[in-house]
Amino acid sequence: MIIFQRCSLKRILQHAQCYLRSLENSKSLARAFPSVLLHGHRNTSSVPGIAERTLIAVKPDGVQRRLVGKVIQRFEQKGFKLVGLKMLQVSEDLLSQHYRELRTKPFYPSLVHYMTSGPVVVMVWEGHNVVQTSRAMVGQTNPAEARPGTVRGDFSIHVSRNVVHASDSLEGAQREIQLWFQGQELLTWTCCNHTNTYEE
Ligand code: DAT
Ligand code: MG
């Protein structure tokens, strides 16, 4: 009877240890999860860099000329995923942070005047290599040099009215996204045609 009690006590202790270990594992999972949610970069695919994000903005001339739909259409038809979108009147403060590298340029005052002259539509697009690809889709800064087929090449003539903004690097994109958007304004969602865009 005493032997039986010892055996079952030992088994109960083993079960308790096992339970405590699994509890510890689930605690460490719970610690990791919020950061995944915070960054909005849940990468459920084997395709590298699939959750890369960039900032695209239709500037005041593009909004006035009713080109917002055409710009969105190009990014949608390419296969990128829209994860944030809003229309706003830009403040000089936001703009001076956005264009901080250009503050000393002679054209900076007229750039600020034009960019704050009316609403802009700002977006975050997500997908594989989206930063580099969207720069190619937007075209050269000066529309005179932008190739036909690019947004600037097709819809603009002069460098001071070149319709769209696109982040020029991964670091630039991250900085600009944080500048223009609050975390909760960006959505993490699954596209229903995901497997027709990427190979798993
Ligand atoms: P991009 O918009 O291609 O990244 P950028 O960052 O060098 O180019 O310049 C930001 C914007 O400033 C650009 O889209 C239009 C304006 N800009 C640049 N060079 C200019 C110039 N020489 N004269 C007038 N505006 C200019
Ligand atoms: Mg730039």
Side-chain angles (χ1 to χ4, degrees):
M1 184 65 178
I2 292 170
I3 291 169
F4 170 77
Q5 278 178 345
R6 275 195 190 142
C7 279
S8 42
L9 192 64
K10 198 174 167 191
R11 204 166 293 161
I12 288 167
L13 282 171
Q14 278 170 348
H15 280 301
Q17 276 172 346
C18 194
Y19 173 73
L20 284 172
R21 264 200 302 275
S22 72
L23 207 62
E24 199 45 47
N25 283 345
S26 57
K27 267 188 200 162
S28 57
L29 259 181
R31 274 196 295 272
F33 199 56
S35 89
V36 169
L37 276 181
L38 263 177
H39 292 99
H41 279 216
R42 195 160 49 92
N43 195 349
T44 51
S45 167
S46 56
V47 182
I50 202 171
E52 186 175 307
R53 289 177 171 183
T54 198
L55 188 100
I56 302 293
V58 183
K59 298 177 178 182
D61 54 323
V63 175
Q64 294 288 347
R65 292 174 56 202
R66 297 170 169 80
L67 294 174
V68 175
K70 285 207 162 69
V71 173
I72 290 177
Q73 188 182 26
R74 287 184 178 216
F75 284 84
E76 279 193 327
Q77 71 188 19
K78 177 71 179 166
F80 290 130
K81 184 163 70 174
L82 184 63
V83 295
L85 171 79
K86 62 183 174 184
M87 185 182 213
L88 72 159
Q89 179 76 42
V90 194
S91 68
E92 280 189 26
D93 183 45
L94 173 62
L95 205 64
S96 73
Q97 291 180 65
H98 177 76
Y99 282 139
R100 65 182 184 188
E101 284 99 11
L102 303 177
R103 283 180 203 159
T104 56
K105 299 281 183 192
F107 59 82
Y108 183 75
S110 58
L111 177 63
V112 172
H113 183 257
Y114 143 67
M115 285 296 290
T116 55
S117 67
V120 303
V121 172
V122 64
M123 303 166 250
V124 177
W125 288 89
E126 184 181 291
H128 177 66
N129 208 31
V130 68
V131 173
Q132 201 184 344
T133 304
S134 59
R135 285 294 288 192
M137 288 166 67
V138 161
Q140 293 286 308
T141 304
N142 186 346
E145 292 160 17
R147 290 162 68 157
T150 63
V151 178
R152 287 166 172 170
D154 288 352
F155 298 120
S156 58
I157 295 172
H158 195 262
V159 67
S160 63
R161 301 289 184 272
N162 61 5
V163 183
V164 276
H165 166 80
S167 308
D168 66 1
S169 63
L170 267 177
E171 302 71 42
Q174 278 163 13
R175 187 183 78 84
E176 291 171 4
I177 290 167
Q178 282 175 16
L179 191 60
W180 289 78
F181 283 90
Q182 304 287 318
Q184 72 270 19
E185 292 176 315
L186 302 175
L187 302 184
T188 298
W189 60 284
T190 306
C191 247
C192 63
N193 68 352
H194 183 84
T195 51
N196 291 315
T197 309
Y198 297 102
E199 185 183 22
E200 288 297 324

